[in-house]
Amino acid sequence: MVYSSGMGFSENLRSELDFQGIQIKELSQMTGISKNTLDKYLSGPRVQPGVENAVKIARALKVSVEYLVTGKTESSKKLSAEYEQLLKKYQELNPFNRKTVLDLMESISSRQGVLSN
């Protein structure tokens, strides 16, 4: 989940799609919402989804509707500066480097578990 503030639905949706590396066509397949309709949601504040489509999009992206609308979640208020910095740096990475970071973290976590036993 990307943490943003002061942005509307279209900006938060675009940001989350970019963060997760999901194309509009894929989101359309995941939600059953036409690509044309999703394109309209992304075009700016003029076209907002109804509740049903907002919920479908949020579920497909594994984020809250609140996040898509406001850019904030209850949990985002509880993140420390260190976590926010990590998220920001992670968001700046390309998909290959994001996977590399996740693989490295998994390796370190597994090794840490073995060493602590």
Side-chain angles (χ1 to χ4, degrees):
M1 179 183 307
V2 174
Y3 293 95
S4 58
S5 60
M7 298 193 306
F9 186 90
S10 62
E11 294 92 349
N12 291 327
L13 176 56
R14 168 61 60 204
S15 180
E16 191 63 30
L17 289 172
D18 291 345
F19 176 72
Q20 292 190 28
I22 296 174
Q23 300 296 316
I24 306 280
K25 186 169 83 171
E26 294 174 87
L27 183 61
S28 175
Q29 292 169 345
M30 295 164 70
T31 61
I33 301 169
S34 75
K35 182 182 176 304
N36 288 340
T37 298
L38 291 170
D39 283 333
K40 289 177 185 174
Y41 297 157
L42 290 166
S43 69
R46 295 182 313 276
V47 179
Q48 297 288 312
V51 172
E52 186 176 319
N53 280 353
V55 169
K56 286 180 183 179
I57 293 168
R59 285 183 178 159
L61 297 176
K62 297 180 176 66
V63 298
S64 69
V65 174
E66 175 191 8
Y67 166 72
L68 289 174
V69 173
T70 68
K72 297 179 182 179
T73 63
E74 199 57 39
S75 63
S76 69
K77 297 175 188 172
K78 299 175 185 173
L79 290 178
S80 71
E82 180 182 26
Y83 284 121
E84 287 183 15
Q85 182 181 12
L86 285 169
L87 284 171
K88 184 175 187 258
K89 293 292 183 187
Y90 181 82
Q91 291 168 357
E92 293 170 358
L93 299 174
N94 64 39
F96 176 81
N97 287 333
R98 286 181 185 171
K99 179 161 179 9
T100 302
V101 167
L102 291 174
D103 290 345
L104 177 61
M105 291 175 69
E106 184 64 35
S107 175
I108 290 169
S109 179
S110 296
R111 189 176 33 191
Q112 183 173 319
V114 169
L115 293 175
S116 65
N117 290 337

